[in-house]
Amino acid sequence: MAVTDGESPLLGEITCGTLLQKLQEIWDEVGENDEERDKLLLQIEQECLNVYKKKVEQAAKSRAELLQTLSDANTELSSLTMSLGEKSSVGIPDKSSGTIKEQLAAIAPALEQLWQQKEERVREFSDVQSQIQKICGEIAGGLSNEVPIVDESDLSLKKLDDFQSQLQELQKEKSDRLHKVLEFVSTVHDLCAVLGLDFLSTVTKVHPSLDEETGVESKSISNETLSRLAKTVLTLKDDKKQRLQKLQELATQLIDLWNLMDTPDEERELFDHVTCNISASVDEVTLPGALTRDLIEQAEVEVDRLDQLKASRMKEIAFKKQSELEEIYARAHVEINPESARERIMSLIDSGNVEPTELLADMDSQIAKAKEEAFSRKDILDRVEKWMSACEEESWLEDYNRDQNRYSASRGAHLNLKRAEKARILVSKIPAMVDTLVAKTRAWEEEHSMSFAYDGVPLLAMLDEYGMLRQEREEEKRRLREQKKVQEQPHIEQDSALSTRPSPARPVSAKKPVGPRANNGGANGTPNRRLSLNPNQNGSRSIAKEVGRRETLNRPAAPTNYVAISKEEATSAPVSGVADHQVPASP
């Protein structure tokens, strides 16, 4: 120890040679033999060899690791390039020479850049796939919180564009679905307003997200939601259609009952909100509350009330319709038995064997048939009126021609002269009128297979009678003219004396005034006048007058079915046979 410590400052730089020399010196001092020395030197050499060997192995291992790292870097570089599909976007070194570390140093920047691009591309893919997954979940009706798995083997822009195109299509589909959902919700809102239903309750039954508080983007757009919305809209539309039909039926009943009972306008105005949609289509009814259940129930209650009121006023209503029916037949000159009809109505109502609605419907049917019959008779009745008026003028003209003072300068003479001129023209048309009337009457009878009666008397019989009387009157005039000629030849003076005296068949006091007819119920009867051979009836015509003149001239009497009395006797007792069979007389 003393030697070692004493020589320590002399060591200086230590090398293998100095150490070996020192070792020799120590052995010399100690006196080690050569064998021990060789043995120790061999041991030292072996230990040095082991150290070198270990270092070489470590160096080789380090080199292998660097080569593996370089290989991995090249492989990763190739993989990233293939995955990203962008060989030209990053400057990849093409250096296969140089040391391993130099090659690694050359690859590292490109590899780092590719790693950054990959991380960015993965985020883009993850974002796009997340949106796609979310929209698909919204369409499918279920949301998933799972993070989408990105396939890192293909991160190319082409694949990313495909995902983005898919996302755009899904976004468009979502927009379309959202628009359709909002349309459905709006339709449901309008229908609920018209029907008086709770919109919020109705729409949230389909899906809770459809209420007004939920944002537009958060509303459900799934297939199930759309299907349920469509069913809800269809159900509400069917309900609206049924309610509108019901309300229109009630409105029709209300109007019929109002018209039937002459309900005042003030009472009708209370139900204007019911009757305003009587002819509206389903799409035209958009007013809120127009088809609520309360409104329909209110209309039903009113219809029931009016039905009960109608039942209590049934007789009054029925008699009103019977009066309408009688008036139609009276205007059409159709003879009916109103007393028996009214008795039948009374018995039906009192017996209770018929429903009021059925009775009124039957009477409405009778009124409709009566109107049809009156319409079919109108043309003939108009011609009968013209014929009667012409016959009245003919009768007046005959009276006018017998008036000896018709050319005097009395008051109104010029008016009677003008009327006479017109009357002659009209009388000349009577035969044509009769022929046309006969032809049309026969055509009507053939079409309807029944006789055309005028106030219960066959019109053809009236026309035939008028023709016979007209012919007899013409023959009578011809005989009178011949008789007058015979009498005038030997009795000229006597004729002049007779001309100043009244005719024995027509006293002066019974002479009719010329001009407007003075007889209230005579030939100038009312428009509803009826032809009759009975002079006691209002509306006796010129046929009765003609036959009366023949009686006053002591002509042979007419058959029993003709009236043959003078005008002076028109207010006296009727001729025999008239009460048994009345035939309408011509005007």
Side-chain angles (χ1 to χ4, degrees):
M1 284 295 293
V3 174
T4 305
D5 293 338
E7 293 180 354
S8 294
L10 301 174
L11 290 177
E13 291 183 4
I14 298 175
T15 63
C16 289
T18 59
L19 289 174
L20 183 58
Q21 183 179 0
K22 185 65 177 175
L23 185 59
Q24 288 291 343
E25 290 177 356
I26 294 172
W27 282 343
D28 288 339
E29 291 179 6
V30 174
E32 289 287 344
N33 57 25
D34 293 338
E35 183 179 356
E36 284 296 329
R37 291 184 180 189
D38 292 338
K39 184 178 179 181
L40 289 172
L41 288 173
L42 182 62
Q43 185 180 358
I44 291 172
E45 184 178 357
Q46 185 64 40
E47 289 178 356
C48 289
L49 182 62
N50 289 336
V51 171
Y52 277 111
K53 185 178 180 180
K54 186 177 181 180
K55 293 297 181 180
V56 170
E57 288 177 355
Q58 290 178 352
K61 184 179 179 181
S62 177
R63 184 189 64 179
E65 290 177 355
L66 289 174
L67 288 173
Q68 184 62 42
T69 302
L70 180 60
S71 176
D72 292 343
N74 287 325
T75 302
E76 188 174 0
L77 184 64
S78 177
S79 176
L80 288 173
T81 303
M82 185 178 296
S83 174
L84 296 173
E86 300 175 356
K87 292 184 178 181
S88 60
S89 62
V90 178
I92 300 175
D94 189 14
K95 185 176 182 181
S96 59
S97 61
T99 63
I100 297 174
K101 291 185 177 181
E102 289 177 351
Q103 294 180 27
L104 284 173
I107 291 176
L111 192 61
E112 182 68 22
Q113 187 175 358
L114 287 176
W115 267 109
Q116 292 178 357
Q117 289 186 3
K118 179 180 179 181
E119 292 176 357
E120 181 67 25
R121 191 70 55 83
V122 168
R123 284 195 298 271
E124 292 179 359
F125 270 86
S126 178
D127 182 56
V128 172
Q129 288 180 254
S130 298
Q131 295 184 54
I132 291 174
Q133 181 177 329
K134 180 182 177 182
I135 295 176
C136 290
E138 291 176 354
I139 293 175
L143 297 178
S144 176
N145 295 325
E146 296 181 1
V147 178
I149 299 175
V150 179
D151 182 13
E152 297 184 3
S153 64
D154 187 2
L155 298 175
S156 63
L157 290 176
K158 181 178 181 301
K159 184 68 174 290
L160 183 60
D161 290 341
D162 292 341
F163 276 118
Q164 288 177 343
S165 298
Q166 182 181 356
L167 177 60
Q168 290 177 356
E169 292 178 359
L170 289 173
Q171 288 174 340
K172 183 178 184 303
E173 182 178 357
K174 177 181 179 180
S175 177
D176 294 341
R177 284 171 172 264
L178 185 59
H179 182 68
K180 187 176 292 186
V181 166
L182 294 177
E183 282 185 350
F184 277 135
V185 170
S186 177
T187 303
V188 171
H189 181 273
D190 295 340
L191 290 172
C192 288
V194 174
L195 300 175
L197 302 177
D198 184 7
F199 164 71
L200 188 60
S201 174
T202 303
V203 79
T204 51
K205 286 181 181 179
V206 178
H207 196 276
S209 66
L210 299 179
D211 60 358
E212 296 177 348
E213 296 179 358
T214 304
V216 175
E217 294 297 329
S218 300
K219 294 187 182 299
S220 174
I221 59 171
S222 65
N223 293 329
E224 183 182 0
T225 300
L226 286 172
S227 176
R228 295 182 65 181
L229 276 174
K231 290 180 180 178
T232 302
V233 169
L234 184 61
T235 301
L236 292 175
K237 284 185 176 180
D238 289 341
D239 191 13
K240 179 182 179 182
K241 182 179 179 181
Q242 293 175 4
R243 290 194 189 186
L244 180 60
Q245 291 177 350
K246 178 67 175 178
L247 194 68
Q248 288 177 340
E249 292 175 0
L250 293 172
T252 302
Q253 294 177 20
L254 282 175
I255 292 175
D256 292 340
L257 290 170
W258 288 339
N259 295 335
L260 195 62
M261 295 184 287
D262 294 329
T263 304
D265 293 339
E266 293 78 10
E267 187 174 343
R268 299 188 185 195
E269 289 175 358
L270 298 176
F271 291 88
D272 282 345
H273 55 291
V274 176
T275 58
C276 64
N277 294 321
I278 190 170
S279 60
S281 64
V282 177
D283 295 333
E284 291 175 347
V285 181
T286 58
L287 189 67
L291 298 176
T292 62
R293 293 190 182 276
D294 293 340
L295 182 64
I296 295 176
E297 291 175 359
Q298 180 184 2
E300 288 175 343
V301 170
E302 181 65 13
V303 169
D304 292 339
R305 185 185 72 82
L306 292 177
D307 279 335
Q308 295 176 1
L309 184 61
K310 180 187 72 175
S312 63
R313 296 179 55 189
M314 190 61 200
K315 292 182 181 179
E316 177 185 350
I317 297 170
F319 286 150
K320 179 182 178 182
K321 289 187 175 292
Q322 179 62 26
S323 299
E324 181 182 357
L325 183 64
E326 293 171 5
E327 183 180 355
I328 293 172
Y329 278 129
R331 289 197 301 266
H333 294 277
V334 176
E335 191 174 54
I336 59 173
N337 190 349
E339 290 78 10
S340 63
R342 291 177 180 269
E343 291 176 1
R344 173 178 170 273
I345 292 172
M346 287 288 295
S347 62
L348 287 174
I349 296 175
D350 294 338
S351 65
N353 295 330
V354 62
E355 289 291 332
T357 54
E358 294 179 1
L359 177 60
L360 295 179
D362 180 65
M363 297 191 72
D364 289 335
S365 176
Q366 294 182 34
I367 291 173
K369 291 180 180 178
K371 289 180 178 179
E372 291 180 4
E373 183 177 357
F375 181 77
S376 68
R377 295 166 59 92
K378 185 177 183 303
D379 183 43
I380 296 178
L381 292 176
D382 291 342
R383 294 179 182 275
V384 169
E385 284 295 315
K386 292 179 181 179
W387 169 56
M388 289 181 177
S389 298
C391 290
E392 287 182 358
E393 289 300 298
E394 182 184 28
S395 177
W396 178 87
L397 184 61
E398 291 179 356
D399 291 342
Y400 177 76
N401 290 335
R402 285 193 296 270
D403 187 5
Q404 301 297 328
N405 298 323
R406 62 182 180 275
Y407 298 117
S408 64
S410 60
R411 183 179 180 181
H414 66 289
L415 297 176
N416 289 332
L417 183 60
K418 289 183 179 180
R419 179 179 176 182
E421 293 176 358
K422 294 180 180 179
R424 291 187 185 94
I425 297 173
L426 185 60
V427 168
S428 65
K429 298 179 181 179
I430 290 180
M433 289 183 183
V434 174
D435 293 341
T436 303
L437 196 53
V438 169
K440 286 189 173 292
T441 303
R442 287 175 178 170
W444 188 93
E445 291 181 348
E446 290 178 0
E447 180 182 355
H448 294 82
S449 301
M450 60 183 294
S451 175
F452 188 99
Y454 187 92
D455 289 338
V457 181
L459 181 58
L460 289 178
M462 295 167 58
L463 296 172
D464 291 342
E465 178 186 4
Y466 173 77
M468 290 187 296
L469 290 178
R470 186 179 180 87
Q471 185 177 0
E472 290 179 4
R473 185 173 58 193
E474 294 297 329
E475 293 178 357
E476 182 74 18
K477 289 180 180 180
R478 181 177 55 80
R479 286 195 295 269
L480 288 175
R481 286 195 298 269
E482 291 178 355
Q483 183 180 1
K484 186 176 181 180
K485 289 181 181 179
V486 172
Q487 291 176 355
E488 283 179 351
Q489 289 179 357
H491 305 288
I492 297 175
E493 295 180 358
Q494 194 174 13
D495 288 342
S496 61
L498 289 174
S499 62
T500 61
R501 293 186 303 172
S503 172
R506 194 175 188 84
V508 175
S509 61
K511 189 174 182 180
K512 289 187 177 181
V514 178
R517 304 300 294 270
N519 189 357
N520 293 334
N524 290 337
T526 62
N528 289 328
R529 58 189 179 274
R530 172 177 170 177
L531 292 177
S532 175
L533 292 181
N534 188 350
N536 286 334
Q537 293 183 356
N538 290 338
S540 299
R541 317 298 274 180
S542 60
I543 296 176
K545 297 178 184 178
E546 290 300 323
V547 180
R549 293 193 191 94
R550 289 190 302 169
E551 286 294 319
T552 57
L553 294 173
N554 296 324
R555 299 298 300 169
T560 57
N561 61 337
Y562 290 89
V563 177
I565 60 174
S566 64
K567 292 183 178 180
E568 291 79 1
E569 299 169 345
T571 58
S572 63
V575 178
S576 173
V578 175
D580 298 332
H581 180 70
Q582 292 184 0
V583 179
S586 168

